[in-house]
Amino acid sequence: MNVFKSWWDKCKRHPVLLIIVLVVAVFAVALIYRYKVERPVDYSKIEEHFKYGSIGSEPMSGLPYWIWKVLPVMFPEKIPGGGDYRAFGFLYEEDRDLPIGVSKRRVQGIDFVWLNCAVCHTGTVRESPDAPRKTYLGMPANNFKLYAFVQFLRDAALDNRFNTDNVLARIDSLDGDLDLTETIAYRFFVVDRVRGSLIDLRRQLAFLDQQHPWGPGRVDTFNPYKAIQFNFPMDRVPREELIGPADYPSIWHQRPRQGMQLHWDGNNPSVEERNKSAALGAGVTPVTIDLARIERIEDWLWELMPPPYPKPIDRTKAAQGKMLYERYCADCHGLKEKDTYVFDTKRFKRLGKVEPLADIGTDPGRLNSYTEALAAVQNTLYAGYPWRFKHFRKTNGYANMPLDGLWLRAPYLHNGSVPTLRDLLEPASRRPPVFYRGYDVYDWDKVGFVSRVAKENGQAFFRFDTGQEGNSNSGHEGEEYGTYLDPAAKDALVEYMKTF
């Protein structure tokens, strides 16, 4: 106290000293605020937070905002079909600078952007080719081409035009608003660091070059996880584990799913662990994860209902279909009664349980990509914290999912190898061996997306070949799956499933 009083007396005798001290203090606070305090962009409405809010992926995995902006301008020839991020299926809303599923956070004085939950769980539907797109939150991202987007970043990293002078020139051409300190940071630190990180990413994900492109709406969840999170020697991973693409799932109405065997292969029964694991897949790390903002999304998803089927339903035919559904499907998938989807696992004994691969007979790639070794290291994540992972395990099949909101979850089977519900009720030999994905016009008769259109307005859609590794449309067929029913009975089943 005496020291402070002496210092204060000295300042009173020398006002200039006091001014200097105050200026230095203000400058120090400003520096700390600018370079030490992280500032995510927040949104009051939960839907906006889901679409554009941060989950903590930007600090370690993100791109500086202005590098994100200039990459498509610098390397348009590396984007399939040209253009900007829309070519990868990113969805832009009017007057929005960033697409749905990309968030912004200021880190060490620089704005960074990267992915959040919505990028994999927001899709679109058109009623007809001339109709406007309608966006649905929580549905699988039927447009998003993650494989192509990652390959674009990997290719850009090796291009010698990716250097400081060119990046700053492109930022200027876009009327970039970098201030003096940001300009200095970009010139002497940011650009080189980002390019180095992307080159490292290229090395980590070198195994992608051994895979078939996943196509829109699909992701190989766990092989990138092995490489980026745990540095698995991917060049020594057996081929049978290396091809594991699967469809993005829907994420609405999570509360009744708690305790069911989650993920396609049922490797975890905890919704909270599944969510934090998915966040890691979006670029979060155990150090940067933003638990408060993820919890805000979790709270919303507990009760978020799927959108109802928007077209008229033939109730007489649906009632006929319900009787068939109860006989063939309900024990594994639950059912819809009146206005409620029934998730009762005591009534439906196999709902939310893993069906052995030997019984269901669907493609093994996704199941094989998840290994006991990966489960073991996953259960070490967050050690020392209450939210430490402890439920991951290796299974022997695929989980029987509840089917609420089923009409928006096409294509079907875990790997999206069957375009419509009506096709799924046929034996594998009669399902389309080749079809197109990425077209969001809906097939209201067969329930799924129109799958025979190869191109529209110059945009080519993804040719899905069920003969390729990981793409088999086999399984989920035979007497107990209803694939032997007559056509009228199958039509009735589809009519009933529209009510989900």
Side-chain angles (χ1 to χ4, degrees):
M1 182 62 74
N2 289 335
V3 173
F4 177 79
K5 185 175 184 306
S6 172
W7 175 83
W8 179 244
D9 290 341
K10 186 180 295 184
C11 287
K12 286 194 291 186
R13 292 194 300 273
H14 304 283
V16 175
L17 176 60
L18 177 60
I19 292 172
I20 292 173
V21 169
L22 290 175
V23 169
V24 170
V26 169
F27 186 67
V29 169
L31 283 178
I32 292 171
Y33 181 72
R34 173 158 188 154
Y35 294 106
K36 287 294 186 183
V37 178
E38 290 190 6
R39 285 179 284 160
V41 178
D42 284 325
Y43 301 86
S44 57
K45 290 183 64 176
I46 181 60
E47 291 85 359
E48 297 300 295
H49 174 64
F50 176 71
K51 289 186 286 188
Y52 302 107
S54 173
I55 60 173
S57 65
E58 305 92 343
M60 293 297 292
S61 305
L63 294 175
Y65 170 80
W66 277 108
I67 290 184
W68 164 273
K69 294 286 286 185
V70 302
L71 283 181
V73 180
M74 293 180 65
F75 307 114
E77 77 283 0
K78 299 182 187 297
I79 298 178
D84 57 20
Y85 291 112
R86 291 172 178 80
F88 303 115
F90 284 100
L91 304 173
Y92 282 82
E93 295 184 301
E94 190 174 356
D95 299 327
R96 284 286 184 179
D97 181 37
L98 295 173
I100 293 172
V102 176
S103 58
K104 182 187 285 187
R105 177 183 291 249
R106 197 160 183 83
V107 182
Q108 296 179 334
I110 302 292
D111 285 333
F112 280 75
V113 298
W114 200 237
L115 310 181
N116 64 21
C117 306
V119 74
C120 298
H121 302 292
T122 302
T124 62
V125 174
R126 282 182 292 165
E127 289 199 17
S128 65
D130 298 326
R133 276 180 159 179
K134 186 167 184 179
T135 301
Y136 290 95
L137 305 183
M139 73 172 278
N142 54 331
N143 307 283
F144 186 41
K145 304 168 190 172
L146 179 57
Y147 181 96
F149 172 59
V150 171
Q151 294 292 49
F152 167 69
L153 296 179
R154 294 179 69 224
D155 288 347
L158 286 190
D159 197 306
N160 287 332
R161 293 173 294 166
F162 193 162
N163 58 52
T164 300
D165 288 340
N166 285 337
V167 168
L168 287 174
R170 290 295 186 177
I171 293 173
D172 281 343
S173 72
L174 297 178
D175 296 326
D177 57 356
L178 298 180
D179 61 23
L180 177 61
T181 58
E182 288 174 309
T183 302
I184 292 172
Y186 269 72
R187 174 160 296 284
F188 296 105
F189 176 67
V190 171
V191 176
D192 289 342
R193 177 198 162 191
V194 169
R195 190 179 180 203
S197 297
L198 291 179
I199 289 173
D200 194 41
L201 180 72
R202 180 180 179 84
R203 176 190 58 76
Q204 289 178 305
L205 299 183
F207 70 89
L208 292 182
D209 300 329
Q210 301 179 52
Q211 296 186 332
H212 309 294
W214 307 334
R218 301 211 310 167
V219 59
D220 184 340
T221 305
F222 288 108
N223 280 312
Y225 205 111
K226 295 172 190 172
I228 295 174
Q229 295 289 345
F230 298 113
N231 294 313
F232 272 42
M234 299 303 293
D235 56 338
R236 282 181 271 166
V237 167
R239 179 74 184 176
E240 66 177 13
E241 296 179 18
L242 201 60
I243 311 295
D247 270 29
Y248 297 115
S250 60
I251 55 172
W252 43 64
H253 208 190
Q254 291 298 301
R255 186 179 300 283
R257 288 169 163 80
Q258 183 73 289
M260 292 185 181
Q261 293 169 344
L262 306 171
H263 280 138
W264 291 116
D265 60 343
N267 63 26
N268 197 311
S270 164
V271 169
E272 292 88 350
E273 281 194 19
R274 191 275 316 277
N275 293 345
K276 291 180 178 63
S277 177
L280 294 172
V284 163
T285 72
V287 175
T288 67
I289 188 168
D290 193 330
L291 292 170
R293 288 175 173 80
I294 289 177
E295 186 175 346
R296 189 179 171 203
I297 295 171
E298 287 178 340
D299 290 344
W300 176 60
L301 293 178
W302 281 125
E303 310 296 346
L304 178 66
M305 293 292 115
Y309 188 78
K311 294 289 188 180
I313 295 174
D314 184 331
R315 295 294 170 180
T316 301
K317 186 190 286 188
Q320 297 168 355
K322 183 182 179 186
M323 290 189 289
L324 293 167
Y325 184 92
E326 288 176 325
R327 175 180 174 184
Y328 288 99
C329 317
D331 196 43
C332 288
H333 296 293
L335 53 66
K336 183 76 173 287
E337 286 182 335
K338 297 181 180 177
D339 294 329
T340 304
Y341 198 89
V342 180
F343 296 84
D344 189 345
T345 54
K346 293 181 180 176
R347 179 178 170 189
F348 306 114
K349 302 298 183 185
R350 296 157 72 182
L351 174 62
K353 302 284 178 59
V354 168
E355 201 72 22
L357 184 65
D359 295 341
I360 195 170
T362 49
D363 188 277
R366 166 62 184 81
L367 175 64
N368 292 339
S369 72
Y370 192 81
T371 62
E372 291 184 359
L374 179 56
V377 293
Q378 271 187 298
N379 285 325
T380 68
L381 287 172
Y382 301 108
Y385 293 94
W387 52 89
R388 174 180 178 166
F389 288 176
K390 54 188 175 186
H391 294 100
F392 280 99
R393 62 172 191 142
K394 172 65 180 171
T395 71
N396 65 345
Y398 293 107
N400 295 318
M401 303 290 184
L403 303 182
D404 52 331
L406 186 60
W407 71 280
L408 283 175
R409 292 158 64 172
Y412 298 99
L413 293 181
H414 73 277
N415 60 350
S417 58
V418 183
T420 70
L421 277 182
R422 189 61 178 78
D423 292 319
L424 185 59
L425 291 173
E426 299 293 341
S429 60
R430 297 179 59 184
R431 297 168 183 167
V434 173
F435 60 95
Y436 293 91
R437 295 185 55 137
Y439 191 50
D440 62 359
V441 174
Y442 208 77
D443 183 337
W444 302 103
D445 294 326
K446 300 180 75 173
V447 181
F449 294 100
V450 173
S451 59
R452 293 185 178 179
V453 175
K455 183 181 288 189
E456 180 188 70
N457 298 328
Q459 179 187 358
F461 301 111
F462 183 79
R463 185 179 184 275
F464 189 96
D465 185 347
T466 61
Q468 290 186 327
E469 292 174 286
N471 288 2
S472 170
N473 62 358
S474 65
H476 202 276
E477 58 183 319
E479 176 63 30
E480 63 180 313
Y481 294 95
T483 56
Y484 292 168
L485 293 171
D486 63 61
K490 292 175 181 177
D491 290 344
L493 263 174
V494 169
E495 198 70 15
Y496 170 61
M497 288 189 279
K498 292 177 182 177
T499 70
F500 292 2

